[in-house]
């Protein structure tokens, strides 16, 4: 029935019940928006249903619209499910539109076109009247509640009213009350006059103060103009000193730049000297190790002879080796103290002896 009614109403897409076996909120929202536009083309319900909050707002807006405009109560929970239960809620709206279309079609068959155009009813033009009617209904309910409370007190007030009416009126008491009221009114009038007089005095005082401030402002402006026009006494000397200061500052910047550059060069030179010293120390360490190895080799080769003469010769050779070691140490100490600045001339060998 739902699909046939939607087809008869002129829905552009084909709808089958298989579309609602699983939740299909996009189709339900599209159908609801189309039905609302079909019912009232000037409705302003937003069609954004991307997020969950937008969907809830859309369902609430459609349900409120149908409840206020068409008096159709929709179950928002079933509509939000967007399954077969939502079709039952959509059927409520489609059945109303379908019935209206059938009745309108039968009446159009009986009535001519000119008469049928007279019965067109535009709901968009009655929105303001509907809001006014709602406001009046709320005011009527509030006024009715107040009236009900007052009518509940009528039994007690009636007795007091009858007693006050039945009591005889005393002229003296009434005259006293009237005099008291008149005196109070006269006092209020006098207070009001005094306040008006005070306002006038305050206004005059304020105007006098304003005039005084204006004169002071004009005097101050004239003094400012005179001070701006007069050149200070030491302005020429100040300008000269300022120029000298600028020159001194430029020379200071140049010297500071040169100083930093020279410090950087000094650091680089010290770094290279340190590297050269480390290289010389490494070379000296290698030479010492090599000399130690040669000394051990000579000691081993000299220990093979057993004769006394050989022993004396070995002692002489040992003395010559000690002299060579001492010469080597003296040369290394000179090299370390000079940091490779002086050349060392000579050889590591000793002088020739008769035994050699």
């Amino acid at each position: 029935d739902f699909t046939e009614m939607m087809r008869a109403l002129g829905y552009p897409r084909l709808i089958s019940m298989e579309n609602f076996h699983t939740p299909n909120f996009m189709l339900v929202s599209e159908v609801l928006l189309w039905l609302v536009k079909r019912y009232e083309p000037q409705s302003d319900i937003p069609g954004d249903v991307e997020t969950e909050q937008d969907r809830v707002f859309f369902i609430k807006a459609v349900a409120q619209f149908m409840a206020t405009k068409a008096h159709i109560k929709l179950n928002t929970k079933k509509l939000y499910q967007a399954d077969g239960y939502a079709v039952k809620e959509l059927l409520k709206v489609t059945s109303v539109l379908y019935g209206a279309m059938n009745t309108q079609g039968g009446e159009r068959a009986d009535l001519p076109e000119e008469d049928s155009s007279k019965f067109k009813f535009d709901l968009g033009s009655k929105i303001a009247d509907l809001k006014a009617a709602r406001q009046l209904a709320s005011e009527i309910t509030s006024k009715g509640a107040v009236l009900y409370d007052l009518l509940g007190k009528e039994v007690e007030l009636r007795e007091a009213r009858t007693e006050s009416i039945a009591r005889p009126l005393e002229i003296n008491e009434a005259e006293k009350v009237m005099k008291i009221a008149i005196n109070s009114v006269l006092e209020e009038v006098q207070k009001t006059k005094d306040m008006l007089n005070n306002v006038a005095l305050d206004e005059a005082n304020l105007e006098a103060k304003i005039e005084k401030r204006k004169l002071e402002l004009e005097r101050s402006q004239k003094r400012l103009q005179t001070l701006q026009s007069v050149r200070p006494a030491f302005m020429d000397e100040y300008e000269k000193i300022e120029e000298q200061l600028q020159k001194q500052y430029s020379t200071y910047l140049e010297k500071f730049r040169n100083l930093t550059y020279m410090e950087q060069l000094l650091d680089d030179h010290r770094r290279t000297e340190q590297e050269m010293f480390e290289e010389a120390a490494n070379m000296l360490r290698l030479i010492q190790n090599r000399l130690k190895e040669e000394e051990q080799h000579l000691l081993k080769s000299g220990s093979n002879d057993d004769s006394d003469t050989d022993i004396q010769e070995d002692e002489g050779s040992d003395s010559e080796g000690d002299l060579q070691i001492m010469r080597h140490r003296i040369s290394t100490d000179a090299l370390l103290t000079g940091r490779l600045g002086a050349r060392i001339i000579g050889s590591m060998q000793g002088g020739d002896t008769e035994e050699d």
Side-chain angles (χ1 to χ4, degrees):
D1 295 335
F2 176 72
T3 56
E4 291 177 0
M5 287 181 183
M6 292 297 291
R7 193 180 299 111
L9 289 172
Y11 188 69
R13 290 178 56 184
L14 295 176
I15 301 174
S16 63
M17 295 306 297
E18 293 179 358
N19 295 330
F20 297 96
H21 286 169
T22 57
N24 191 355
F25 191 85
M26 300 302 293
L27 181 59
V28 171
S29 64
E30 185 179 354
V31 171
L32 282 172
L33 189 60
W34 186 82
L35 291 173
V36 169
K37 294 292 183 182
R38 180 79 176 179
Y39 191 87
E40 185 175 352
Q42 297 178 356
S43 61
D44 55 351
I45 294 176
D48 189 8
V49 291
E50 294 295 331
T51 61
E52 182 179 357
Q53 188 176 2
D54 294 335
R55 293 181 179 183
V56 173
F57 181 77
F58 175 79
I59 294 296
K60 286 183 178 180
V62 171
Q64 187 177 3
F65 176 83
M66 287 298 172
T68 55
K69 301 294 183 181
H71 300 286
I72 299 172
K73 186 178 181 181
L74 298 176
N75 192 344
T76 56
K77 186 177 180 180
K78 291 181 179 180
L79 286 173
Y80 191 80
Q81 289 177 0
D83 52 3
Y85 294 100
V87 177
K88 295 181 179 179
E89 303 298 323
L90 294 173
L91 191 60
K92 296 179 182 179
V93 184
T94 53
S95 60
V96 172
L97 293 174
Y98 185 76
M101 185 182 69
N102 290 332
T103 54
Q104 189 176 4
E107 291 176 358
R108 283 181 180 177
D110 298 333
L111 296 174
E113 294 181 356
E114 295 179 356
D115 296 336
S116 63
S117 63
K118 294 180 181 179
F119 293 98
K120 290 181 180 179
F121 185 70
D122 189 7
L123 292 175
S125 62
K126 301 295 182 181
I127 294 175
D129 297 337
L130 181 60
K131 291 181 179 179
R134 285 180 181 177
Q135 187 176 1
L136 289 173
S138 62
E139 289 180 359
I140 288 168
T141 53
S142 61
K143 297 291 184 182
V146 174
L147 182 60
Y148 179 77
D149 294 335
L150 293 175
L151 290 174
K153 298 177 181 179
E154 176 63 21
V155 178
E156 299 177 357
L157 295 175
R158 187 184 301 166
E159 295 178 357
R161 187 171 59 250
T162 53
E163 288 179 359
S164 61
I165 291 170
R167 191 185 343 179
L169 184 62
E170 295 181 358
I171 297 173
N172 295 326
E173 292 182 358
E175 187 177 358
K176 289 180 181 178
V177 172
M178 292 297 293
K179 286 181 179 180
I180 292 169
I182 290 168
N183 292 327
S184 63
V185 171
L186 291 174
E187 288 179 357
E188 290 180 358
V189 171
Q190 188 63 34
K191 287 180 181 179
T192 306
K193 288 181 179 179
D194 294 337
M195 291 174 66
L196 290 173
N197 294 327
N198 292 328
V199 168
L201 292 174
D202 294 337
E203 186 177 358
N205 293 327
L206 289 173
E207 288 179 355
K209 289 181 180 179
I210 290 168
E211 292 295 332
K212 186 177 179 181
R213 295 294 181 183
K214 285 182 179 179
L215 293 173
E216 290 179 356
L217 179 61
E218 290 178 357
R219 195 180 300 112
S220 300
Q221 287 179 353
K222 289 179 180 179
R223 186 177 179 185
L224 178 62
Q225 290 176 0
T226 54
L227 290 173
Q228 288 177 353
S229 61
V230 174
R231 186 177 176 83
F234 301 99
M235 195 66 188
D236 296 333
E237 186 179 359
Y238 173 78
E239 290 177 355
K240 290 180 182 179
I241 293 171
E242 189 175 4
E243 291 177 358
Q244 293 177 1
L245 179 63
Q246 190 68 27
K247 292 179 182 179
Q248 292 293 331
Y249 182 70
S250 61
T251 55
Y252 167 74
L253 287 178
E254 185 177 359
K255 290 182 179 179
F256 182 77
R257 193 182 301 113
N258 295 330
L259 179 62
T260 53
Y261 178 69
M262 296 299 291
E263 287 179 353
Q264 186 177 0
L265 291 177
L266 181 61
D267 292 336
D268 295 337
H269 182 67
R270 288 177 179 174
R271 193 180 300 109
T272 53
E273 283 187 352
Q274 184 68 25
E275 291 176 357
M276 292 173 65
F277 178 74
E278 290 177 356
E279 289 179 0
N282 292 328
M283 291 176 65
L284 290 173
R285 195 178 296 109
L286 291 173
I287 292 169
Q288 288 176 359
N289 293 328
R290 190 180 299 170
L291 289 173
K292 286 180 181 180
E293 290 177 359
E294 291 179 358
E295 185 179 357
Q296 290 177 0
H297 181 68
L298 290 173
L299 290 173
K300 288 179 181 180
S301 62
S303 62
N304 294 326
D305 297 332
D306 296 327
S307 62
D308 296 332
T309 58
D310 292 338
I311 292 170
Q312 291 177 359
E313 290 175 357
D314 290 337
E315 289 176 356
S317 63
D318 291 336
S319 62
E320 291 175 359
D322 293 332
L323 290 172
Q324 291 178 0
I325 291 168
M326 290 296 291
R327 290 175 182 175
H328 174 67
R329 288 179 180 176
I330 291 167
S331 63
T332 53
D333 292 334
L335 181 62
L336 288 172
T337 55
R339 292 185 181 178
L340 298 176
R343 296 181 61 186
I344 299 172
I345 301 171
S347 62
M348 301 299 293
Q349 300 294 330
D352 296 333
T353 60
E354 293 178 357
E355 295 176 355
D356 292 333

